[in-house]
Amino acid sequence: MRIAVCPGSFDPVTYGHLDIIIRTARLFDKVYVAVLDNPNKKALFSVEERLEMLRSSTREVGGVTCESFTGLVVDYASRRGAIAIVRGLRAVTDFEYEFKMASVNAQLARPIETVFMMTNNEYAFISSSAVKEVAQFGGDVSQWVPPEVEKRLAAKFAELRARGEI
Ligand code: PNS
């Protein structure tokens, strides 16, 4: 059984993430899509909301389980029996951050490999932050996120606006 972990913030999941998850699921027997539960990092969506969106978007992808984790990703990956941490690489600008993380993780847990997958060209410039910014100001994000995520973004910003938080 070859197991991989796709860790991230997924705030929220985009078609770019889904492309990586689907391609990882073709290469491994089982994939854990793992949302980092980090109380120090302010997210738009709660961990539970992010998991709901991930679960509904990956419903039809076999072998995928979505859950949250706390602490180090290598410890989580070891608990799940994973042999690889899979990350998507978009532009060169991702490289330094990813290289640093992969090096730290390699020094912490040598048997776990970090595998980089190049994102599909179509998704090379999508990020959750760009999606949030566009959605907040009423732009169309339907080409970057599944319909359910689009709806939740609109609802979330309407709620924040009603509460006077934005
Ligand atoms: O989607 P993101 O925000 O780029 O994902 C970053 C993530 C969650 C993969 C990374 O922050 C992480 O693995 N955090 C857990 C803490 C950890 O293991 N740190 C050591 C590597 S620097």
Side-chain angles (χ1 to χ4, degrees):
M1 186 84 156
R2 302 176 86 77
I3 301 171
V5 167
C6 288
S9 304
F10 301 104
D11 185 39
V13 62
T14 66
Y15 282 137
H17 294 128
L18 290 172
D19 172 56
I20 299 293
I21 294 167
I22 291 165
R23 287 160 60 202
T24 303
R26 287 194 201 120
L27 297 175
F28 291 84
D29 302 305
K30 184 142 195 47
V31 180
Y32 287 97
V33 177
V35 178
L36 176 65
D37 186 355
N38 181 357
N40 301 325
K41 198 169 156 189
K42 182 132 181 48
L44 178 65
F45 291 102
S46 70
V47 170
E48 215 31 66
E49 289 171 322
R50 286 181 265 162
L51 280 172
E52 281 164 13
M53 288 184 271
L54 274 167
R55 286 185 183 125
S56 74
S57 316
T58 57
R59 212 175 19 225
E60 279 156 29
V61 192
V64 171
T65 300
C66 305
E67 57 186 20
S68 63
F69 76 103
T70 51
L72 294 175
V73 68
V74 288
D75 289 338
Y76 165 76
S78 308
R79 286 199 298 279
R80 290 287 170 261
I83 55 167
I85 292 169
V86 178
R87 296 278 294 170
L89 269 188
R90 290 165 301 188
V92 265
T93 42
D94 281 344
F95 185 79
E96 201 172 321
Y97 168 62
E98 293 296 337
F99 188 63
K100 194 183 79 186
M101 254 187 340
S103 311
V104 170
N105 288 338
Q107 285 174 47
L108 290 171
R110 290 179 195 281
I112 298 177
E113 289 290 345
T114 295
V115 175
F116 293 113
M117 222 178 246
M118 283 198 38
T119 48
N120 188 314
N121 273 347
E122 220 181 314
Y123 308 125
F125 295 99
I126 311 180
S127 66
S128 297
S129 342
V131 165
K132 284 184 279 194
E133 194 164 308
V134 172
Q136 177 174 354
F137 298 109
D140 179 8
V141 293
S142 61
Q143 56 188 319
W144 301 313
V145 295
E148 191 202 321
V149 176
E150 190 188 353
K151 278 195 219 106
R152 287 206 188 215
L153 278 162
K156 179 67 79 180
F157 285 120
E159 181 192 319
L160 293 178
R161 226 169 274 125
R163 281 205 253 131
E165 289 178 23
I166 53 169

